[in-house]
Amino acid sequence: MDIGALRGTQALRNNVLKWMGFCLGVLAGIFAGFNLFINDFFVLGALEVVFASFCFYIFFYTRRRNGHLWQSLTLCVFLSLLITLGTYLSDIKSLLFIWTCSLPVLFYLLLGKQYGKVLSLIVAVLQGVILLTKSSLEPLNSVNFLLNFSFTYISIWAVSHTFENSRAEYGKRLENLALLDPLTGAGNRLAMTHYFEVELKNKNGLFILMLDLDYFKNINDQYGHDVGDRILIEVTSFFRQRISKGYVFRIGGEEFAIFLPDSDPQSAYEFADMLREHLATTIHNIDEQAINLTISIGVACYMPNQTLKNFIKRADDALYQAKQQGRNRVVTAYELSQQNKAS
Ligand SMILES: Nc1nc2c(ncn2[C@@H]2O[C@H](COP(=O)(O)OP(=O)(O)OP(=O)(O)O)[C@@H](O)[C@H]2O)c(=O)[nH]1
């Protein structure tokens, strides 16, 4: 499955940044020429030259890699300053202020809801003050002009806000559908691959715990499948409550995995053993039945440049040994390799 598809927002923002960089670079270059050589607006013209250069830098940068927040923020703030300064300096008849209406769309597409809201409000206030203090709005009827302009700006702002809000919400819902186990809410196998590739691979002291409930078939047989389901949900929240820094995944029927970043062999083992012991001494009260269950755990440490498949396999082998040795125990991959060397 294509994990990149789950990073839709990043791809969208990068694409918008790239092509906005190109289009605004070309436009700013043309306007700079006009302002420097025809209109004699040297300040504005010089700023437009700087802006055009920055836009082309962004365009070439984002062609090869993902853009940064500071680049989008600088582009938006710089463009807003150019438009407000242009509105302040130029004659109202040049209609330069019309560009203001494009800003909310750009803010929301490039920076999202929070920045979009704040920047759209700042620009609205700035442009409002500038237009109100302009000595004359002639030949335009000033009241009509201000009402029409404000309503157009507010409508575009509202549409941008609604669009970004729904886009982000649907994106989140799709991501949850793709990454979460519907029964327990823990991450699924795809989520495991996703977090490993995106967040964990380069972290120090990464450990994996493979956890498998012991004799779970007996629970289903004795209490029914529904009770079995509720046990799986309880066990997931049991793990979550005890993990301060890490991720829980359900990767099979009664099989779970936990990533522990920033750990060491001793702490990873102690954490696994604490989970095992706590679970073994916890009574689950479901439908007035007191149910107790145990778990077997395999632990492995991530070796640099190892694939996720190999990483999981080493923990799985340790888990298999824990089952073989009678269940309700923790076996580490390190321990296993020592045993293999000795035999
Ligand atoms: N209630 C419920 N049971 C499930 C689910 N997925 C798998 N199972 C059950 O989990 C049980 C797994 O059985 P086994 O693979 O024999 O493992 P076990 O009984 O836990 O024995 P060991 O792992 O060897 O200790 C089977 O009975 C499956 O039907 C689920 O989503 N809900």
Side-chain angles (χ1 to χ4, degrees):
M1 195 161 175
D2 181 13
I3 296 173
L6 297 173
R7 280 179 255 156
T9 300
Q10 195 183 32
L12 170 80
R13 300 220 197 291
N14 207 54
N15 237 346
V16 175
L17 185 61
K18 179 166 76 183
W19 290 111
M20 276 294 125
F22 179 75
C23 296
L24 291 172
V26 171
L27 283 175
I30 295 171
F31 277 112
F34 267 110
N35 285 327
L36 288 174
F37 304 113
I38 299 173
N39 294 340
D40 288 345
F41 273 151
F42 289 110
V43 179
L44 199 57
L47 281 173
E48 280 164 349
V49 169
V50 178
F51 183 62
S53 315
F54 178 69
C55 287
F56 284 122
Y57 151 73
I58 295 252
F59 173 66
F60 287 109
Y61 185 93
T62 48
R63 278 180 65 183
R64 279 169 280 122
R65 58 207 119 156
N66 284 332
H68 298 286
L69 177 69
W70 73 264
Q71 292 169 328
S72 303
L73 207 53
T74 311
L75 187 106
C76 288
V77 171
F78 207 148
L79 183 63
S80 308
L81 285 178
L82 279 180
I83 292 174
T84 44
L85 186 67
T87 309
Y88 178 71
L89 292 176
S90 68
D91 191 319
I92 202 83
K93 278 182 272 180
S94 72
L95 300 185
L96 195 151
F97 61 87
I98 284 179
W99 280 93
T100 319
C101 293
S102 67
L103 290 175
V105 181
L106 195 68
F107 296 157
Y108 278 90
L109 277 179
L110 279 179
L111 298 162
K113 216 168 66 178
Q114 301 304 335
Y115 279 109
K117 235 183 328 192
V118 175
L119 290 178
S120 300
L121 183 67
I122 294 174
V123 166
V125 172
L126 271 178
Q127 286 294 66
V129 171
I130 292 171
L131 288 171
L132 281 172
T133 52
K134 277 242 161 222
S135 57
S136 162
L137 292 177
E138 294 301 333
L140 306 157
N141 176 320
S142 55
V143 176
N144 273 350
F145 161 75
L146 284 172
L147 280 179
N148 279 320
F149 181 65
S150 320
F151 285 146
T152 309
Y153 184 82
I154 290 169
S155 307
I156 293 174
W157 181 358
V159 170
S160 309
H161 187 87
T162 313
F163 169 79
E164 176 59 22
N165 212 14
S166 335
R167 194 201 60 75
E169 201 179 297
Y170 277 104
K172 190 76 213 148
R173 277 161 67 180
L174 272 180
E175 194 176 305
N176 284 348
L177 272 178
L179 296 178
L180 299 187
D181 167 45
L183 177 68
T184 60
N188 58 18
R189 260 186 196 272
L190 182 64
M192 199 173 165
T193 314
H194 180 64
Y195 286 119
F196 178 76
E197 294 294 336
V198 176
E199 292 191 26
L200 301 175
K201 209 158 81 171
N202 300 320
K203 286 209 168 147
N204 290 331
L206 176 63
F207 285 77
I208 188 170
L209 274 53
M210 297 295 283
L211 313 98
D212 191 284
L213 298 176
D214 296 328
Y215 302 118
F216 191 64
K217 187 174 180 308
N218 294 349
I219 297 209
N220 274 336
D221 292 347
Q222 199 176 336
Y223 303 101
H225 206 267
D226 282 352
V227 172
D229 279 355
R230 286 172 62 185
I231 289 278
L232 291 171
I233 296 168
E234 282 208 1
V235 167
T236 304
S237 59
F238 172 91
F239 292 149
R240 282 208 174 122
Q241 282 159 16
R242 282 157 184 83
I243 290 181
S244 56
K245 206 165 147 198
Y247 305 85
V248 182
F249 305 94
R250 181 182 176 215
I251 56 172
E254 20 69 271
E255 195 174 3
F256 294 84
I258 293 177
F259 278 133
L260 283 183
D262 302 320
S263 194
D264 58 76
Q266 186 62 21
S267 314
Y269 174 83
E270 282 170 8
F271 177 73
D273 205 45
M274 178 274 286
L275 285 182
R276 180 201 62 74
E277 199 182 324
H278 278 203
L279 193 69
T281 50
T282 300
I283 303 291
H284 301 271
N285 286 307
I286 295 177
D287 288 347
E288 294 174 6
Q289 317 203 59
I291 302 172
N292 173 242
L293 71 160
T294 61
I295 196 160
S296 301
I297 307 178
V299 183
C301 170
Y302 178 65
M303 310 285 188
N305 302 323
Q306 197 175 30
T307 60
L308 178 61
K309 202 171 155 196
N310 278 338
F311 187 28
I312 293 176
K313 183 170 181 321
R314 287 178 44 246
D316 243 344
D317 291 345
L319 171 63
Y320 178 76
Q321 274 308 312
K323 291 273 181 189
Q324 290 299 101
Q325 291 172 18
R327 296 170 174 78
N328 188 22
R329 66 191 60 226
V330 178
V331 172
T332 65
Y334 173 74
E335 200 181 313
L336 208 63
S337 68
Q338 295 292 95
Q339 281 170 14
N340 288 345
K341 272 185 207 157
S343 59

